[in-house]
Amino acid sequence: MGILSRMIPTEDASARKREIEEKLKQEQETLSFIRENLEKSDQLTKGMVSILSSFESRLMQLENSIIPVHKQTENLQRLQENVDKTLSCMDHVISYYHVAKDTDRIIREGPTGRLDEYLACIAKIQKAVEYFQDNNPDSPELNTVKARFEKGKELLEAEFRNLLTRYSKPVPPILILDAISVDEELEVQEEVVLEHLPEAVLQDIICIAGWLVEYGRNQDFMNVYFQIRSNQLDRSIKGLKEHFRKNSASSGVPYSPAVQTKRKDTPTKKVPKRPGKDDVLDIEIDSYIHCISAFVKLAQSEYALLLEIIPEHHQKKTFDSLIQEALDNLMLEGDNIVSAARRAIMRHDYSAVLTIFPILRHLKMNKSEFDSTLQGTAASTKNKLPTLITSMETIGAKALEEFADSIKNDPDKEYNMPKDGTVHELTSNAILFLQQLLDFQETAGAMLASQVLGDTYNIPLDPRESSSSASSYTSEFNKRLLSTYICKVLGNLQLNLLSKSKVYEDAALRAIFLHNNYNYILKSLEKSELIQLVTVTQKRAESLYRELIEQQIISYKSSWFKVTEHLSEKNMPVFQPGTKLKDKERQIIKDKFKGFNDGLEELCKTQKGWAIPDKEQRDFIRRSQKTVVSEAYRAFLQRCANISFTKNPEKYHKYHPEHVEQMIEKLFDTSA
């Protein structure tokens, strides 16, 4: 045990020693390896440094050799570029000398069908002109290319004219009618586009116009433009007029901008027509109204076209020139209408003046659009429509005033008085004339106002009226003015009727005549808007006419006094039953019977031929008179029932009360 214990540590120490020795040996080997490698690395480094030094030396030698070569190369490249540029410039310059020859064929053949190619040739010629002007102004080539340029420009101008002439056509009448019509059933109106030129042609024209302005330094094409387009505008309107004349008479007016809605209260009675003449006149008036609308629409369309072709600072002047012919023709036609109205007034044919009312109303309704269309034109152009409107208002106001005077001064001609006391022609004509003003209330009122007739009618304007309500105030003023005018006509008519009634010797017939005329006036007023117009300034108009009518009925009834006075108790003998009458007393009763019979027969015979056209009034007067006479006659017969005044009572008691009523029932009935 002791030996074993001592042996173990000894072995461990040996092993440990061997282990250490082995590790030491390995470390020594590693160190030796590192030293060897370090030596090799030093050798490699020395070799690399040597190589780099050699490379640097060679690079310096190469650089010293390359730089001179590079500089020489740059100089050669610069020389080459200069040579190329010189050659290019030479080619460019030489090309200017060949421009005239190269473009000769295209220029001679013109631009038709190849505008882009033609303009390209013109551009070449223009550049040649600029080159020679700058570099060789004395060269013959300059004159050659200048001449070629002018020729090219001349042919472009000719092409501009030819395209416009060839493709500018009058707008078809049907298309114009579609453009100016208004369909009230459609909330949104579909605008009709008036295409004056095909799109491709339009683009060529725009292109040529642009070139002529920018390069051609030429404004003559604008004169060409307005002359051609002016002619087409005028032809379009004349074509519409001709179409209208051909078709209106047979098929009616297809579209009427003058009267877009029909009045429900338009009087049913129309102006008596002179066959043929008035129909033609109506067509002429409607045609003129359509042509006014057509002019506005076509002029607007022409202006839109012009904006694409004519330079901005020349547009207004060119447009002004373009519309002159058509506008002047329309104004001349309007002046002719005014002249015709003036001649009608001289003939005292006042109804003919009514033809200007629809035209005037249409002109005034469209004046704002007219003014807008002519905005920017010369003052003389813009004043043409207002001048025509003023002429129409003046002649219209003159007609209204002279008509009122004619009603007042119509002579009392016995042969012209109705034998049956019916409505006088003067009354029916006057009412008819006034009724026709209903469709043109604002127009007629403005006519009167335009002549400053407010002082005449004593309707002052209020200077304090604000501008915001000026329009409504003016409308109200015009309405009052027209109301006062109508009242004036009615007043003149009443005075004239009173004067005319004196022609009748029979007071009863005089009363019937006045009754018929007053009643006709009142009923005519009530059946139309005339009564509303009259009451604007004469609140009691209806009641005043009813009073006049009642007065004439009373006057007429007085004609029966000479009949019914025989039935009164006046001079009737007083007697007691059974007492015998004296001869004088019997004669009184006989005379009463005879006076009644003769008077009844005479009145019935005379008044049966008189007329009361109004059935309601006729029945009322018959019924009223029948009651009065019948009651008086029955009372008279009752008083005489038990009186013996004759041996032949049937000789005096000729009529029974029922018979008397039947006779009165036949009054005012020529067929009875």
Side-chain angles (χ1 to χ4, degrees):
M1 286 292 289
I3 295 170
L4 182 58
S5 62
R6 284 195 298 270
M7 287 177 65
I8 293 173
T10 301
E11 291 176 358
D12 289 340
S14 297
R16 179 69 175 166
K17 181 180 179 182
R18 286 193 300 270
E19 182 179 350
I20 291 171
E21 289 175 350
E22 288 177 0
K23 286 185 178 180
L24 181 59
K25 183 180 180 180
Q26 289 176 354
E27 291 294 336
Q28 287 175 343
E29 290 175 353
T30 301
L31 180 59
S32 176
F33 176 77
I34 290 172
R35 284 175 178 167
E36 290 176 1
N37 284 322
L38 283 174
E39 290 175 357
K40 290 179 181 179
S41 178
D42 287 341
Q43 291 174 358
L44 290 172
T45 298
K46 290 177 180 179
M48 182 60 71
V49 170
S50 176
I51 292 171
L52 288 174
S53 297
S54 175
F55 183 70
E56 182 180 6
S57 174
R58 291 179 180 181
L59 279 177
M60 289 179 66
Q61 291 176 0
L62 181 61
E63 184 177 355
N64 292 333
S65 301
I66 290 298
I67 287 176
V69 174
H70 177 69
K71 289 181 178 179
Q72 290 178 0
T73 303
E74 281 186 340
N75 291 334
L76 289 173
Q77 287 178 340
R78 194 175 298 113
L79 289 173
Q80 180 64 43
E81 288 175 359
N82 289 339
V83 170
D84 291 341
K85 288 181 179 178
T86 301
L87 290 174
S88 177
C89 287
M90 289 296 292
D91 290 340
H92 186 65
V93 170
I94 291 171
S95 69
Y96 289 133
Y97 287 86
H98 296 286
V99 163
K101 180 180 178 182
D102 293 342
T103 59
D104 180 66
R105 182 181 60 83
I106 294 177
I107 295 300
R108 279 190 293 101
E109 292 177 356
T112 304
R114 51 177 176 184
L115 182 60
D116 291 340
E117 182 182 5
Y118 192 85
L119 290 177
C121 284
I122 292 287
K124 290 180 181 179
I125 297 171
Q126 189 174 6
K127 288 179 181 179
V129 171
E130 293 170 356
Y131 171 79
F132 289 120
Q133 283 178 336
D134 294 338
N135 298 282
N136 195 2
D138 297 327
S139 65
E141 285 79 7
L142 176 59
N143 294 331
T144 302
V145 291
K146 270 188 174 181
R148 187 60 47 83
F149 181 81
E150 291 301 319
K151 181 63 176 178
K153 184 173 75 170
E154 181 182 316
L155 291 177
L156 276 175
E157 293 170 354
E159 179 70 359
F160 183 86
R161 178 189 293 273
N162 292 338
L163 287 175
L164 269 179
T165 304
R166 188 182 313 130
Y167 292 99
S168 290
K169 305 294 182 185
V171 180
I174 296 300
L175 190 58
I176 297 176
L177 289 172
D178 286 338
I180 64 178
S181 68
V182 176
D183 190 341
E184 295 178 346
E185 296 181 359
L186 295 178
E187 294 183 3
V188 180
Q189 298 296 323
E190 182 178 350
E191 186 175 358
V192 178
V193 178
L194 301 176
E195 186 179 277
H196 297 288
L197 297 167
E199 183 60 28
V201 174
L202 174 60
Q203 292 307 317
D204 282 354
I205 290 174
I206 293 172
C207 188
I208 295 173
W211 189 93
L212 290 173
V213 171
E214 186 173 358
Y215 302 111
R217 306 291 189 269
N218 186 351
Q219 297 181 5
D220 291 342
F221 78 95
M222 299 181 207
N223 295 331
V224 171
Y225 179 85
F226 91 70
Q227 289 168 0
I228 294 174
R229 294 307 307 169
S230 173
N231 182 48
Q232 296 309 320
L233 173 61
D234 191 52
R235 288 179 62 193
S236 295
I237 294 176
K238 288 178 178 176
L240 173 64
K241 187 181 300 183
E242 187 62 28
H243 171 84
F244 201 88
R245 288 173 180 170
K246 287 181 179 178
N247 293 280
S248 293
S250 58
S251 59
V253 181
Y255 308 103
S256 181
V259 183
Q260 297 175 357
T261 56
K262 296 203 176 206
R263 301 172 56 90
K264 293 181 180 177
D265 54 355
T266 300
T268 55
K269 192 171 184 181
K270 302 297 182 184
V271 180
K273 294 270 188 182
R274 295 186 295 276
K277 182 176 180 181
D278 282 348
D279 291 338
V280 172
L281 182 60
D282 288 343
I283 292 172
E284 291 295 327
I285 297 304
D286 281 339
S287 172
Y288 185 69
I289 287 172
H290 280 75
C291 288
I292 289 291
S293 294
F295 171 80
V296 173
K297 187 66 67 175
L298 290 170
Q300 291 171 347
S301 181
E302 287 291 346
Y303 188 68
L305 178 66
L306 176 146
L307 291 178
E308 298 189 73
I309 299 171
I310 304 300
E312 183 176 358
H313 52 289
H314 291 285
Q315 289 169 356
K316 294 295 184 182
K317 182 179 179 181
T318 303
F319 179 67
D320 196 341
S321 300
L322 190 156
I323 62 173
Q324 283 304 313
E325 183 177 4
L327 181 59
D328 285 344
N329 287 339
L330 285 174
M331 295 303 105
L332 177 60
E333 190 171 351
D335 290 338
N336 291 338
I337 292 171
V338 171
S339 298
R342 187 176 291 109
R343 290 192 297 272
I345 294 175
M346 294 176 66
R347 299 192 306 269
H348 306 295
D349 181 9
Y350 302 106
S351 63
V353 176
L354 291 170
T355 58
I356 72 171
F357 279 71
I359 295 176
L360 180 57
R361 179 174 67 180
H362 188 66
L363 291 178
K364 297 183 76 171
M365 284 172 57
N366 289 273
K367 185 178 182 299
S368 60
E369 189 174 7
F370 212 103
D371 291 344
S372 176
T373 302
L374 301 186
Q375 187 177 7
T377 58
S380 58
T381 301
K382 288 186 284 191
N383 289 336
K384 287 180 180 179
L385 182 66
T387 300
L388 178 59
I389 288 176
T390 299
S391 296
M392 288 191 168
E393 285 188 328
T394 301
I395 197 65
K398 179 178 175 64
L400 291 175
E401 282 303 290
E402 291 201 12
F403 174 77
D405 292 340
S406 73
I407 296 299
K408 180 180 180 180
N409 301 319
D410 187 71
D412 306 328
K413 298 177 181 178
E414 185 173 352
Y415 67 84
N416 199 33
M417 295 294 289
K419 303 299 182 183
D420 57 1
T422 190
V423 178
H424 196 280
E425 184 181 9
L426 179 68
T427 302
S428 59
N429 287 343
I431 294 299
L432 192 55
F433 184 89
L434 295 179
Q435 284 177 332
Q436 291 185 78
L437 295 181
L438 289 175
D439 283 329
F440 310 99
Q441 295 182 33
E442 187 63 33
T443 304
M447 277 183 179
L448 297 170
S450 70
Q451 303 305 303
V452 199
L453 296 177
D455 292 338
T456 303
Y457 293 117
N458 194 27
I459 304 179
L461 283 167
D462 188 350
R464 298 169 298 173
E465 200 68 30
S466 65
S467 59
S468 62
S469 59
S471 178
S472 60
Y473 178 78
T474 300
S475 179
E476 183 61 29
F477 172 73
N478 290 349
K479 187 174 183 180
R480 290 183 62 81
L481 204 53
L482 182 59
S483 172
T484 305
Y485 170 77
I486 292 174
C487 289
K488 177 183 178 181
V489 172
L490 293 175
N492 289 350
L493 178 60
Q494 182 181 344
L495 291 173
N496 199 314
L497 290 172
L498 279 171
S499 177
K500 289 183 184 302
S501 68
K502 296 174 183 178
V503 171
Y504 295 113
E505 295 180 0
D506 192 322
L509 181 56
R510 189 182 309 142
I512 290 297
F513 171 76
L514 290 175
H515 164 273
N516 284 334
N517 282 271
Y518 292 154
N519 183 66
Y520 178 84
I521 293 170
L522 177 60
K523 290 297 176 67
S524 298
L525 294 178
E526 291 176 334
K527 287 179 181 178
S528 65
E529 286 183 6
L530 277 174
I531 192 63
Q532 282 85 355
L533 266 178
V534 169
T535 52
V536 168
T537 54
Q538 180 54 267
K539 304 296 183 185
R540 294 190 63 247
E542 283 187 270
S543 59
L544 288 174
Y545 272 109
R546 294 190 191 284
E547 290 172 8
L548 289 172
I549 292 169
E550 183 60 31
Q551 289 172 8
Q552 300 311 316
I553 292 176
I554 292 172
S555 296
Y556 162 74
K557 287 181 177 180
S558 65
S559 67
W560 283 83
F561 289 167
K562 63 182 180 182
V563 176
T564 56
E565 69 178 352
H566 296 292
L567 305 178
S568 67
E569 294 184 2
K570 183 181 179 181
N571 298 327
M572 194 71 174
V574 180
F575 58 89
Q576 295 295 327
T579 304
K580 186 176 180 181
L581 294 177
K582 298 177 181 179
D583 290 343
K584 184 178 179 180
E585 293 174 333
R586 287 197 298 272
Q587 189 61 43
I588 289 174
I589 296 175
K590 290 178 182 179
D591 290 343
K592 282 182 174 289
F593 268 105
K594 187 175 187 306
F596 172 76
N597 292 336
D598 291 347
L600 176 66
E601 291 169 357
E602 180 184 352
L603 281 185
C604 288
K605 179 181 178 181
T606 301
Q607 296 184 8
K608 185 175 69 172
W610 297 354
I612 300 180
D614 187 322
K615 184 179 184 303
E616 183 180 347
Q617 286 291 308
R618 185 171 65 244
D619 291 345
F620 169 76
I621 292 175
R622 283 173 175 171
R623 187 167 57 251
S624 175
Q625 201 56 43
K626 185 168 59 177
T627 299
V628 171
V629 175
S630 177
E631 288 180 356
Y633 188 48
R634 290 178 190 276
F636 176 74
L637 291 179
Q638 190 173 3
R639 288 196 298 271
C640 298
N642 298 319
I643 300 176
S644 176
F645 64 91
T646 180
K647 295 180 180 179
N648 301 307
E650 64 279 359
K651 176 181 177 181
Y652 297 97
H653 187 187
K654 294 173 62 175
Y655 302 105
H656 293 287
E658 293 78 9
H659 192 189
V660 171
E661 291 178 353
Q662 291 174 2
M663 293 173 69
I664 295 175
E665 190 65 35
K666 294 178 180 179
L667 296 178
F668 318 118
D669 186 358
T670 56
S671 63

